């Protein structure tokens, strides 16, 4: 099922994180159509460190950007996230290598031609054969684009885990996508 909606991110206030560092609180607003009122639905925090940019979303700390900003520079962007414990709800985020691609390159994002962008490829992983529903498969894909003077202008994220039906002679049980399988594509439609 595909659901389209609009979101906007507003920097709300400068705050201090739990390590005493300057940070910013960001509020996300959402609406289904342009005629609907904006409703706040989530709060995030971002910290500009001496080496990069941390983004805290749903109590998960992502290292979104790091220095130096140059093609092929790579880092473990999900390094602070618990992906290894038996109680982890996000083991699929383990060991992602974020890599800069197309630094300071013009990009077409939605209806905008943006002069100086960079692409962060975060993951492109397929286990099994997603085209064959008789077998288990997992797909993880994530990419973000940032524009100079604007910030993130594009995000595509997809995670799915398909559980195949048990083989005969087990009673017929259909395969299914595990809870937590989802995708999101964000494309800038406006900026200030």
């Amino acid at each position: 099922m595909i659901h389209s909606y609009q979101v906007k991110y507003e920097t709300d206030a400068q705050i201090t994180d739990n390590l005493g560092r300057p940070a910013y609180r960001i509020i996300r607003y959402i609406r289904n159509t342009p005629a609907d009122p904006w409703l706040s639905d989530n709060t995030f925090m971002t910290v500009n460190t001496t080496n990069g940019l941390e983004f805290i979303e749903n109590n998960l700390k992502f290292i979104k950007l790091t220095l130096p900003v140059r093609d092929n520079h790579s880092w473990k962007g999900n390094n602070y996230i618990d992906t290894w414990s038996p109680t982890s709800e996000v083991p699929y985020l383990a060991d992602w290598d974020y890599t800069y691609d197309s630094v300071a390159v013009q990009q077409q994002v939605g209806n905008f031609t943006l002069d100086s962008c960079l692409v962060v490829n975060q993951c492109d992983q397929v286990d099994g054969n997603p085209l064959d529903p008789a077998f288990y498969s997992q797909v993880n894909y994530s990419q973000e684009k940032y524009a100079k003077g604007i910030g993130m202008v594009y995000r595509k994220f997809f995670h799915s885990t398909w559980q195949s039906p048990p083989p005969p002679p087990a009673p017929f049980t259909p395969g299914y996508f595990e809870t937590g399988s989802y995708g999101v594509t964000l494309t800038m439609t406006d900026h200030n």
Side-chain angles (χ1 to χ4, degrees):
M1 173 182 1
I2 295 175
H3 178 73
S4 296
Y5 52 89
Q6 293 180 325
V7 296
K8 71 175 176 175
Y9 294 84
E10 278 188 4
T11 302
D12 178 56
Q14 186 170 5
I15 57 176
T16 303
D17 76 354
N18 61 341
L19 299 175
R21 301 176 300 176
Y24 291 93
R25 181 175 48 234
I26 298 170
I27 299 176
R28 182 177 68 194
Y29 295 88
I30 190 167
R31 65 184 180 186
N32 287 316
T33 70
D36 295 331
W38 289 107
L39 302 172
S40 63
D41 80 324
N42 211 335
T43 303
F44 310 103
M45 183 172 59
T46 188
V47 179
N48 186 359
T49 68
T50 56
N51 296 324
L53 182 76
E54 297 174 358
F55 190 79
I56 295 83
E57 175 178 359
N58 300 325
N59 292 320
L60 301 174
K61 185 191 300 187
F62 298 89
I63 307 166
K64 294 290 190 172
L65 304 169
T66 64
L67 294 175
V69 178
R70 66 172 187 248
D71 282 342
N72 301 314
H73 175 66
S74 183
W75 67 99
K76 298 291 186 189
N78 302 344
N79 206 37
Y80 291 113
I81 299 171
D82 172 16
T83 58
W84 58 90
S85 74
T87 58
S88 174
E89 295 180 6
V90 290
Y92 59 89
L93 293 177
D95 208 34
W96 285 17
D97 288 313
Y98 288 34
T99 306
Y100 288 136
D101 180 21
S102 306
V103 172
V105 173
Q106 187 180 74
Q107 293 275 331
Q108 184 70 35
V109 177
N111 294 326
F112 295 90
T113 301
L114 303 167
D115 289 330
S116 186
C117 295
L118 64 89
V119 175
V120 181
N121 292 312
Q122 299 168 340
C123 187
D124 188 0
Q125 176 185 36
V126 177
D127 296 324
N129 181 357
L131 301 177
D132 189 343
F135 296 96
Y136 167 90
S137 66
Q138 186 174 94
V139 177
N140 293 305
Y141 179 84
S142 189
Q143 181 189 72
E144 294 178 349
K145 296 179 182 181
Y146 295 82
K148 185 176 183 178
I150 299 173
M152 187 178 69
V153 294
Y154 175 84
R155 177 182 185 207
K156 184 168 186 165
F157 174 90
F158 182 77
H159 163 70
S160 71
T161 303
W162 174 259
Q163 292 293 347
S164 58
F172 177 74
T173 305
Y176 63 94
F177 285 105
E178 283 187 359
T179 301
S181 295
Y182 76 103
V184 63
T185 301
L186 301 173
T187 303
M188 180 182 75
T189 59
D190 199 4
H191 70 89
N192 57 358

